[in-house]
Amino acid sequence: MRRFMRPGPASRPSPERPRTPGKPGNLPAELNRFIGRDDELAMLVRQLESARLVTLTGLGGVGTSRLARQGAAILQDRFCDGVWLVELASLREPHLLDHAVAEALALADHSGRPVRAALCDHLAERELLLVLDGYEHLVDACADLTAELLRRAPALRVLVAGRRPLGIPGESVRPLLPMNAADAIALFADRAASVVAGFAVEPSNQAAVAELCDRLDGIPLALELAAGRLRALSVDQVLHRLDDRFRLLTGNARGTPPRHQTLRTAIGWSHELCTPEERLLWARLSVFAGQFDLEAAEYVCSGPELPADELLDVIVELVAQSVLLRVTTAAGVRYRMLDTVRAYGAGWLAATHDGDRLRRRHRDWYLGLATWCELDWFSSRQAEIAARIEAELPNLRVALEQSLESAGDTHLGQYLAGTLWFYWVGCGRLSEGRHWLDRALELESDHDDARLKALWVAGYVAVLQGDTVGALGALQECREEAERTGNATAAAYALHRTGCLALVCDDMPRAEELLRGALIRYREIGELNSNVLMGQVELAMAVAFQGRLADAVRLCEDVLEVCEDHGERWTLAYAQFVLAFAAWSRGDGGRARALLEECLAIDHTFHDLLGAVLAIELLALVTLGEGDAEEAAVLQGAAGRIWPSVGLPLFGSRYYNQPHALCEEQARERLGAERYERCLRAGARLDLETTVARILRPAGQVPAQRRTVRCAPPSTNEPAASPSVSGGETAG
């Protein structure tokens, strides 16, 4: 028996490699170039080295047929008896499957034996690759035939391409995802150039092409159909018409299989292969945006026709048919639909006239999720909560839209926008949070509690953005209405955030008075959470700025103790920042750096841009004190790049700005203006990831600590971070 010739490392052939003259096989030459998919091709070849049956699965139009043929073309010289393609999409009768395979193999047998027996005998001693394409509507018959052929023909290898696995022993399944962004753009550009002479992706259309490819999910068929529309439309016009993508993306190229002539037909072919339960779930799942988990699907989509305890089985089938994609994330196993698949399902949902009910259930689920996450934020699960909300953000946006656009549900939108305060503030989403809060507060509501919560959260966000006027307006309204309605909780939060406003506006005595008053109110109503602890940290900052460092340290050490008890990390980082400020003010640069590095690591985990940039600003001054003026200037440049994503740099506060000003003054003096500006520009080119990695480098790479910049004992009238009497000089 001839042995299979093992392929070497996957190598790309010259663009479309024709079948070797005289070589057995029927693999056709392609009419246009194969673009991208380098990694997928290499993986496919490797799988065929180790498995006799490889199944390439994917949604209609994603390119399984083309990739299978390209992989087969790479391997055709390695099979003594060639590569043979059997196209099954047009075959409708399972009992004709054996005949179709025999016909593709050019097998002529006139003995009267059953066709399958003739196939088995023909393949028994042959070394070939059999490619079965478009078999999904004949999956049972195809699985039965493939299993028998592999048993009877030891040197046979089979590559199948379709919407779902065969489900037989020994099968190696390779799901094919849409193209990555670079490959999708390259494919679109290539096909567009064949339609419009001279077309190229250039600065004038680059953004539109990238957005078009992204909105089409990187599905090759959709990209090719969109490129075909450039005969009559510009890229921008195609992009603007994508809301009706199934009408837009059609074609009638001669020689194209019917199922690939329109996007609707390609997706509809998958729909036809689904059971009624699978079609119904497909339609209902279209209310989700982005990813979702099993529990959400069970709550939103279950009903008499789809019992919750049976939903998992239906989801498994939709995953098997590539309608749903299974995704492993930091938040656990989740599922998602491509936008094109979702749009198709949404059309069917509209036909059921059940869309409003499903959207309400979707909104209710995410209201409940946000409520649970807010409560659980004050725990050791903060990082998990942050990851969960990040994963759920597209669905939370849909829930916010649903609430704010539905008559009578405004209060739900206000409640949801306010409940997500921990995400807006703690995970670098100040701008988006402000957007939703402002929208919610523009609308009337009869539910005072929901509106009051949105008001104090809006005030909080505005304070951190440096919007004094916006913050004052929201907090005054909240405080007055809370007192009028007897809402002690909202009154305490409004008082707290007004104290925070005084802090960033440099009125330290008033900030201290208001923050102490808020903490007393919190104790009276039994409130203890991250906000309450943050109030104590802010009080410590106000006290430190007035020169009472020992009091500030005691306040923050109390916070650290409570954080330790509850596993709280987000507020702990801010307490460490204040302790670092106190350590630096006392001349202990080593202690300050250790605290700031841990603070930065925590802030970066939560993507808390405000906490991170404050830590970087103070680290610049600590670095200067260690004798590295160049690195200090680089860090200042990096911080300057981050501030526009947060709000007003250093809140416009002279107290918060004093360490920055001191660092700039002394770094300029040591480096000279030109060299300082050059380092500043170098830092401004660093993104946050690079900056954090640069700071949190291994201990052995950190320069030896040098004499630290010290500050004079602060008075109640001047910022604490002022140069020392001796000028604050350091060696170096």
Side-chain angles (χ1 to χ4, degrees):
M1 182 185 303
R2 287 172 291 185
R3 298 176 57 196
F4 173 60
M5 299 169 62
R6 292 179 61 82
S11 58
R12 290 291 299 274
S14 55
E16 292 302 337
R17 181 169 148 179
R19 185 161 54 87
T20 304
K23 187 80 173 178
N26 67 343
L27 200 62
E30 299 291 354
L31 301 179
N32 51 24
R33 291 198 307 136
F34 185 85
I35 305 291
R37 299 289 200 191
D38 291 349
D39 293 341
E40 291 92 335
L41 268 175
M43 181 64 72
L44 182 61
V45 170
R46 285 197 295 270
Q47 279 189 279
L48 281 166
E49 288 181 325
S50 58
R52 295 182 60 212
L53 170 60
V54 176
T55 301
L56 196 60
T57 65
L59 183 72
V62 82
T64 53
S65 297
R66 189 66 187 270
L67 184 65
R69 292 198 300 270
Q70 186 70 8
I74 292 174
L75 293 170
Q76 63 182 349
D77 289 340
R78 302 174 189 178
F79 290 90
C80 299
D81 296 298
V83 175
W84 298 84
L85 172 66
V86 186
E87 297 186 279
L88 299 171
S90 60
L91 186 69
R92 287 292 176 266
E93 300 298 332
H95 67 269
L96 296 177
L97 176 62
D98 293 5
H99 295 273
V101 175
E103 182 179 356
L105 290 169
L107 173 59
D109 184 88
H110 305 288
S111 65
R113 295 180 300 167
V115 177
R116 181 163 302 189
L119 278 173
C120 291
D121 287 348
H122 176 76
L123 296 173
E125 296 296 325
R126 283 178 167 76
E127 182 182 304
L128 61 78
L129 175 63
L130 184 64
V131 182
L132 304 177
D133 183 29
Y135 64 88
E136 52 274 339
H137 56 304
L138 306 168
V139 63
D140 292 336
C142 196
D144 180 65
L145 173 62
T146 302
E148 185 167 355
L149 292 179
L150 288 169
R151 284 195 301 269
R152 300 281 295 274
L156 173 68
R157 303 232 164 187
V158 180
L159 171 60
V160 296
R163 312 294 172 94
R164 59 172 302 143
L166 289 175
I168 60 179
E171 181 180 30
S172 178
V173 180
R174 170 60 49 182
L176 182 62
L177 298 176
M179 302 182 91
N180 62 44
D183 284 353
I185 291 171
L187 176 65
F188 179 83
D190 181 83
R191 301 306 190 251
S194 69
V195 172
V196 179
F199 179 89
V201 178
E202 50 196 20
S204 62
N205 65 9
Q206 186 173 12
V209 169
E211 184 180 353
L212 178 64
C213 293
D214 179 63
R215 290 188 60 190
L216 291 176
D217 301 307
I219 298 175
L221 173 62
L223 297 170
E224 295 190 351
L225 293 172
R229 282 304 189 188
L230 296 187
R231 291 185 177 91
L233 302 172
S234 69
V235 174
D236 284 325
Q237 286 175 314
V238 173
L239 185 59
H240 292 154
R241 290 169 179 261
L242 276 190
D243 287 342
D244 193 5
R245 66 185 67 192
F246 295 113
R247 178 176 296 180
L248 175 69
L249 300 181
T250 62
N252 55 3
R254 293 181 179 88
T256 303
R259 70 185 190 279
H260 287 168
Q261 289 185 2
T262 74
L263 186 61
R264 181 184 296 278
T265 303
I267 305 300
W269 178 235
S270 291
H271 195 262
E272 289 180 20
L273 296 172
C274 290
T275 64
E277 293 77 16
E278 292 161 6
R279 294 177 189 175
L280 180 59
L281 183 56
W282 182 344
R284 290 181 174 180
L285 289 173
S286 68
V287 300
F288 288 98
Q291 301 171 2
F292 56 90
D293 60 20
L294 177 61
E295 290 76 16
E298 288 174 334
Y299 177 85
V300 175
C301 300
S302 61
E305 313 92 333
L306 284 172
D309 58 357
E310 297 178 11
L311 211 68
L312 176 58
D313 293 333
V314 185
I315 284 178
V316 167
E317 285 302 308
L318 291 178
V319 171
Q321 296 181 70
S322 305
V323 173
L324 284 180
L325 302 179
R326 180 186 183 277
V327 185
T328 301
T329 72
V333 173
R334 302 173 64 76
Y335 309 95
R336 72 179 180 94
M337 279 183 174
L338 300 179
D339 286 344
T340 302
V341 178
R342 181 180 296 108
Y344 192 92
W348 280 85
L349 180 62
T352 68
H353 305 290
D354 198 25
D356 289 343
R357 183 184 70 86
L358 268 293
R359 283 184 283 273
R360 285 194 300 271
R361 289 180 67 84
H362 175 276
R363 179 204 60 205
D364 292 346
W365 173 264
Y366 286 100
L367 279 170
L369 176 70
T371 301
W372 172 78
C373 286
E374 181 191 29
L375 293 171
D376 223 29
W377 179 253
F378 185 53
S379 74
S380 59
R381 292 179 292 278
Q382 277 184 327
E384 176 188 333
I385 296 300
R388 179 72 183 271
I389 294 295
E390 182 71 23
E392 299 289 9
L393 185 57
N395 284 301
L396 288 163
R397 289 169 176 158
V398 169
L400 282 161
E401 287 283 0
Q402 171 72 13
S403 300
L404 297 177
E405 293 181 356
S406 300
D409 289 345
T410 301
H411 65 289
L412 298 178
Q414 293 172 343
Y415 171 81
L416 182 53
T419 297
L420 289 170
W421 67 266
F422 62 92
Y423 184 67
W424 310 138
V425 172
C427 301
R429 295 282 184 173
L430 290 174
S431 179
E432 179 166 357
R434 184 72 181 275
H435 164 77
W436 290 114
L437 289 159
D438 286 349
R439 274 193 60 186
L441 290 169
E442 287 172 358
L443 303 173
E444 295 296 327
S445 169
D446 295 331
H447 295 70
D448 292 333
D449 291 350
R451 180 173 179 80
L452 289 173
K453 185 169 191 176
L455 278 168
W456 74 254
V457 175
Y460 185 13
V461 171
V463 167
L464 298 181
Q465 290 181 316
D467 180 7
T468 303
V469 174
L472 189 59
L475 293 172
Q476 281 184 342
E477 181 183 348
C478 181
R479 193 170 176 183
E480 290 170 3
E481 286 300 305
E483 299 291 355
R484 184 183 65 81
T485 60
N487 189 323
T489 300
Y493 279 104
L495 184 64
H496 172 185
R497 292 306 158 198
T498 305
C500 185
L501 179 60
L503 176 67
V504 300
C505 290
D506 293 341
D507 189 347
M508 297 305 151
R510 178 163 170 76
E512 181 178 356
E513 176 188 354
L514 294 172
L515 290 167
R516 287 192 187 278
L519 291 172
I520 291 171
R521 291 199 181 197
Y522 285 142
R523 284 194 293 272
E524 290 174 348
I525 62 177
E527 192 87 346
L528 179 61
N529 54 34
S530 298
N531 266 310
V532 175
L533 292 182
M534 190 64 77
Q536 189 160 330
V537 172
E538 290 156 352
L539 174 61
M541 196 80 251
V543 168
F545 282 147
Q546 294 177 82
R548 290 152 35 214
L549 293 178
D551 291 343
V553 168
R554 280 193 294 272
L555 285 166
C556 286
E557 286 177 344
D558 287 345
V559 170
L560 262 57
E561 186 176 337
V562 178
C563 288
E564 182 69 24
D565 290 343
H566 290 268
E568 215 279 0
R569 301 283 292 167
W570 174 66
T571 310
L572 178 134
Y574 282 88
Q576 289 174 322
F577 171 80
V578 178
L579 290 172
F581 176 84
W584 168 80
S585 298
R586 290 170 167 168
D588 189 351
R591 171 69 173 159
R593 173 172 288 280
L595 286 164
L596 287 170
E597 287 184 352
E598 186 174 353
C599 168
L600 179 60
I602 295 171
D603 289 330
H604 191 52
T605 297
F606 293 114
H607 197 65
D608 183 350
L609 296 181
L610 175 60
V613 73
L614 287 173
I616 292 168
E617 288 277 11
L618 192 50
L619 272 163
L621 187 53
V622 171
T623 301
L624 179 71
E626 294 168 348
D628 194 343
E630 282 193 346
E631 182 67 10
V634 168
L635 293 180
Q636 284 200 309
R641 175 175 173 169
I642 299 169
W643 275 113
S645 298
V646 177
L648 184 64
L650 293 159
F651 315 114
S653 160
R654 67 189 179 103
Y655 284 93
Y656 279 98
N657 185 64
Q658 189 65 20
H660 175 93
L662 177 61
C663 183
E664 179 180 351
E665 177 188 351
Q666 296 196 357
R668 277 184 184 276
E669 183 180 338
R670 294 185 201 179
L671 299 174
E674 182 179 348
R675 191 172 163 201
Y676 172 79
E677 293 293 339
R678 189 165 62 248
C679 292
L680 204 66
R681 289 192 296 271
R685 290 192 292 269
L686 302 177
D687 59 21
L688 180 60
E689 291 287 338
T690 305
T691 302
V692 172
R694 185 186 186 100
I695 293 169
L696 303 181
R697 54 192 169 181
Q701 297 180 23
V702 178
Q705 183 179 328
R706 304 185 183 184
R707 187 156 55 92
T708 305
V709 175
R710 295 176 182 270
C711 63
S715 71
T716 58
N717 297 319
E718 294 295 330
S722 57
S724 67
V725 174
S726 62
E729 294 295 330
T730 62

